[in-house]
Amino acid sequence: MFTVVGSKGNLGSLLMKIFPDSYGVDVDNEEKLFNYLKKSDYAFLAIPPDQEENIINKYKFFTGFIELSSVKLRFLKFKNSIISIHPLFGPRSYGKIKDIVFINDISPPDSMGKIQNIFPDYNIISLSADKHDRLMSEILVKPYIISMISRPQNGSIKTSSYEKYLDLCSISSQESKEILYDTILMNKYTQNVIDEIQGGLDYIKNLIKNG
């Protein structure tokens, strides 16, 4: 039996659809949460990282927490006491993307098989917390930042390139602001991404200046 903590959020509501017999509970409903944990084998933490840490620390009797955040280095302090994964799908990509990152230096050694049993049709990718956060800086942080700083001006005449640009611009508006900011602000490698983008802009400025 599963409990989904944060069952009304984007990822939490999706998990309730994938596992419809799960208990769904809001993070603030402590009485229900305690009772559900006592009856559950696993509890998905579909809530912001700070709240995840609070729950893990508060309910230390429970050994089946599955942590789902997009930043992992901060959870190394819970090594071998929680399972840490990052589903790379969300409500808009469910059914198209079937990859889940398994964090091998946080999760207990025998837990990858448990995740494979819970998600039998998914591609499980095993990474360290550091390699995960480096990867997320490229595939999440970078498009999030570019989307946030983009301001499309024309909506009537489109080219193939401009349609791709509009898709990129829409990323930040379609994502939960909480997830967006957590992913950017809590990733150790975000500054590297900013430096890379700034370097590209400086290169273009020099081309124009010396053109």
Side-chain angles (χ1 to χ4, degrees):
M1 180 60 70
F2 302 133
T3 289
V4 177
V5 184
S7 58
K8 295 180 181 178
N10 287 343
L11 180 56
S13 59
L14 176 60
L15 289 169
M16 292 298 294
K17 292 179 182 178
I18 299 173
F19 306 107
D21 295 328
S22 299
Y23 302 116
V25 63
D26 186 80
V27 68
D28 295 324
N29 197 330
E30 301 214 4
E31 183 179 349
K32 276 191 176 181
L33 176 55
F34 179 76
N35 290 332
Y36 288 164
L37 291 179
K38 289 194 296 184
K39 296 185 283 187
S40 296
D41 300 305
Y42 299 102
F44 294 105
L45 297 176
I47 49 180
D50 289 339
Q51 293 181 5
E52 285 187 303
E53 289 195 32
N54 290 338
I55 294 295
I56 294 166
N57 283 321
K58 185 164 189 176
Y59 299 98
K60 292 183 178 179
F61 75 90
F62 186 72
T63 59
F65 283 122
I66 300 178
E67 184 277 317
L68 303 171
S69 75
S70 60
V71 286
K72 300 302 186 185
L73 282 169
R74 65 182 294 165
F75 289 96
L76 280 170
K77 57 173 135 333
F78 299 112
K79 181 180 178 69
N80 292 333
S81 62
I82 62 169
I83 298 174
S84 182
I85 66 172
H86 183 188
L88 299 184
F89 55 86
R92 288 182 291 116
S93 59
Y94 177 62
K96 301 175 186 177
I97 296 176
K98 304 201 74 174
D99 293 334
I100 296 173
V101 180
F102 171 84
I103 309 304
N104 54 38
D105 55 351
I106 296 176
S107 307
D110 62 345
S111 56
M112 185 166 181
K114 295 175 181 177
I115 293 301
Q116 289 171 328
N117 289 333
I118 294 171
F119 297 97
D121 299 323
Y122 287 75
N123 178 37
I124 311 299
I125 304 161
S126 181
L127 294 176
S128 69
D130 184 69
K131 287 184 177 179
H132 168 274
D133 286 5
R134 283 180 183 270
L135 177 62
M136 292 308 114
S137 74
E138 173 67 21
I139 69 173
L140 287 183
V141 172
K142 186 181 292 184
Y144 283 176
I145 290 176
I146 294 174
S147 178
M148 288 177 68
I149 64 176
S150 298
R151 297 291 184 270
Q153 301 298 318
N154 176 69
S156 57
I157 299 176
K158 296 183 177 68
T159 63
S160 175
S161 296
Y162 195 66
E163 286 185 343
K164 291 175 183 176
Y165 171 69
L166 291 176
D167 285 341
L168 178 61
C169 293
S170 70
I171 292 173
S172 59
S173 62
Q174 293 178 359
E175 184 59 270
S176 157
K177 286 291 184 286
E178 205 163 32
I179 292 174
L180 190 77
Y181 294 145
D182 283 347
T183 301
I184 293 172
L185 297 176
M186 296 183 185
N187 191 301
K188 173 183 175 181
Y189 299 103
T190 290
Q191 188 59 51
N192 294 1
V193 173
I194 294 171
D195 292 343
E196 180 185 345
I197 293 171
Q198 185 61 58
L201 292 174
D202 290 342
Y203 173 75
I204 294 170
K205 285 180 181 178
N206 286 329
L207 283 180
I208 295 170
K209 180 179 178 181
N210 301 320

